[in-house]
Amino acid sequence: MKKISYLWQRALVVGLCVIALAGCTTTPNSATLTDTAKSYHGVNYGPKVFQGTPYTAIVVAYGPEMKGILGRIDADPGAQITDVVRFKGVTYRMGTYHDEPVLIFATGMSIANAALTMQMAFDYFPIKQVVYMGIAGAVNPKWQPGDVIVPERWYYHDESVYANPDPAQNGQYILPEYYAKFLAEQADRREVDPHLPNYKNFQFIHPDEVLIIKDGMDVPQDTAYFSATPRLLDAARDAIMTMPEQRILGERKAKLTVGGNGVTGSVFLDNREYRKWTREVFDAEVAEMESAAVGQVCTINDIDWVIIRAISDLAGGQEGVNVEHIYDQEVSRVGANVLFAVLDALAREDG
């Protein structure tokens, strides 16, 4: 079966599942919403249409990152959490940061959790922009724990074809017809878009692209990457220029930068050779498990977004056991500092 046919079937199944999960049990106090979907057995399904002041969503992946965010909110007299609700087990905190309405939540780790919780947030709350922060493994070996990267583009590194070896040609693989055609098109596509990956395989793993569908598209489109919102990237540049020096465990000054590429996959990347391959194919600076999914959901919903990643380790670069657990809380603190500096930059822009 052709990939396009398969993906249409998969999209239909996923879409039905999302619709079935989309009913909320609690209405946020700070926004008025109108149910646009039908009721079934007393439960409302489908997205909502909102009236009221939209939120800036402050989003992380998991506990140590959330600790840094909540610590900053608690310590700031100009910030507060005013309400807390739970949908499908996910905690959403509503409040203000220097008079800006904010919605704070954790997606959970990995692609499926990130996509699910982001879409729930867009269905249940009025959100105008997303500022996501989390830790990541470095792909580029020049980065050290505590450095912070705000990539412009996010790619899936494990959207791929797993192919059988070709018994007639040593080192070659038997590729599906659609994928062989896809590879043949890449030279012409790269002349138009220099940010396309430099596609080559990692053993039997052959990188592919995700197909997306959204309003305005008649058919799904191959999508190599998702680009963060330029306005929010500019705010990140402004924030970094005005921030005080960030020290890591009192030992070194953190490097803070905006630009380049990040890669996302449903794996904890802890293999040196695979990390090098992601650098060669995607020109990646960092690797983690949520950002491309966040970017995809924001893109489909036409919501502005940017993602801040604090380096916790060199993915697979160490000898022995990975050191991510040593630095996660410390680098999450620095990442949170960058996130709130971005919010301050946005407030200056709006003022």
Side-chain angles (χ1 to χ4, degrees):
M1 183 179 295
K2 293 182 178 179
K3 182 184 183 185
I4 188 77
S5 174
Y6 163 72
L7 284 164
W8 264 116
Q9 294 180 39
R10 185 175 68 178
L12 177 61
V13 172
V14 172
L16 291 173
C17 290
V18 170
I19 290 172
L21 287 171
C24 66
T25 57
T26 308
T27 299
N29 295 334
S30 56
T32 301
L33 57 81
T34 302
D35 184 17
T36 61
K38 293 182 178 180
S39 179
Y40 182 73
H41 287 239
V43 179
N44 293 327
Y45 294 97
K48 312 297 177 181
V49 174
F50 298 98
Q51 296 175 342
T53 304
Y55 293 103
T56 292
I58 299 173
V59 190
V60 299
Y62 78 132
E65 299 160 350
M66 180 60 74
K67 184 177 181 180
I69 297 297
L70 296 181
R72 280 293 302 266
I73 293 288
D74 289 342
D76 191 330
Q80 60 178 333
I81 293 171
T82 57
D83 201 1
V84 179
V85 296
R86 287 175 62 85
F87 297 137
K88 314 297 184 188
V90 179
T91 300
Y92 294 92
R93 296 173 173 89
M94 292 159 279
T96 57
Y97 175 76
H98 297 184
D99 299 323
E100 171 72 18
V102 293
L103 174 71
I104 304 170
F105 64 96
T107 60
M109 290 186 287
S110 201
I111 288 171
N113 287 326
L116 173 65
T117 51
M118 289 304 306
Q119 188 60 58
M120 280 202 303
F122 294 153
D123 287 347
Y124 299 162
F125 300 94
I127 295 173
K128 66 179 181 181
Q129 59 193 3
V130 172
V131 183
Y132 194 106
M133 187 280 294
I135 64 174
V139 174
N140 187 338
K142 78 175 184 179
W143 305 120
Q144 298 183 54
D147 293 340
V148 176
I149 319 296
V150 186
E152 294 182 56
R153 290 164 293 275
W154 286 94
Y155 303 70
Y156 290 110
H157 67 76
D158 61 355
E159 184 79 18
S160 53
V161 173
Y162 284 15
N164 282 321
D166 186 343
Q169 301 181 75
N170 187 37
Q172 299 298 309
Y173 293 83
I174 302 172
L175 301 178
E177 181 178 343
Y178 86 86
Y179 186 74
K181 180 181 178 182
F182 167 81
L183 290 180
E185 297 170 346
Q186 295 312 303
D188 290 341
R189 292 181 70 208
R190 198 169 293 109
E191 287 186 5
V192 178
D193 184 354
H195 300 302
L196 288 178
N198 178 28
Y199 288 111
K200 67 175 186 177
N201 61 298
F202 182 81
Q203 300 174 22
F204 62 87
I205 301 172
H206 299 257
D208 202 352
E209 296 176 5
V210 65
L211 275 80
I212 70 167
I213 187 73
K214 61 174 293 187
D215 286 346
M217 292 182 183
D218 294 326
V219 295
Q221 294 182 7
D222 272 313
T223 304
Y225 58 87
F226 300 93
S227 297
T229 303
R231 175 180 64 86
L232 298 183
L233 290 169
D234 288 342
R237 293 185 182 96
D238 182 27
I240 286 172
M241 292 291 292
T242 59
M243 285 183 67
E245 180 178 285
Q246 302 292 305
R247 304 291 297 182
I248 306 303
L249 298 175
E251 299 172 356
R252 58 177 292 271
K253 177 183 176 181
K255 297 177 183 177
L256 314 177
T257 188
V258 177
N261 303 331
V263 291
T264 298
S266 290
V267 297
F268 183 83
L269 204 171
D270 198 27
N271 179 276
R272 184 182 294 108
E273 295 307 314
Y274 189 88
R275 171 179 57 80
K276 292 178 180 177
W277 174 79
T278 63
R279 178 73 176 157
E280 294 170 1
V281 173
F282 302 99
D283 195 23
E285 303 294 333
V286 295
E288 44 68 83
M289 301 175 69
E290 299 85 27
S291 295
V294 171
Q296 179 176 346
V297 174
C298 289
T299 297
I300 290 171
N301 286 273
D302 291 320
I303 303 294
D304 289 352
W305 62 283
V306 71
I307 294 174
I308 300 159
R309 286 293 178 178
I311 301 301
S312 60
D313 63 289
L314 177 60
Q318 77 287 340
E319 298 296 333
V321 178
N322 189 284
V323 298
E324 177 268 341
H325 63 286
I326 297 175
Y327 291 99
D328 58 357
Q329 291 195 29
E330 174 70 359
V331 303
S332 293
R333 175 187 62 82
V334 178
N337 289 344
V338 174
L339 181 148
F340 285 101
V342 170
L343 297 183
D344 293 339
L346 289 170
R348 292 192 296 270
E349 174 188 287
D350 293 340

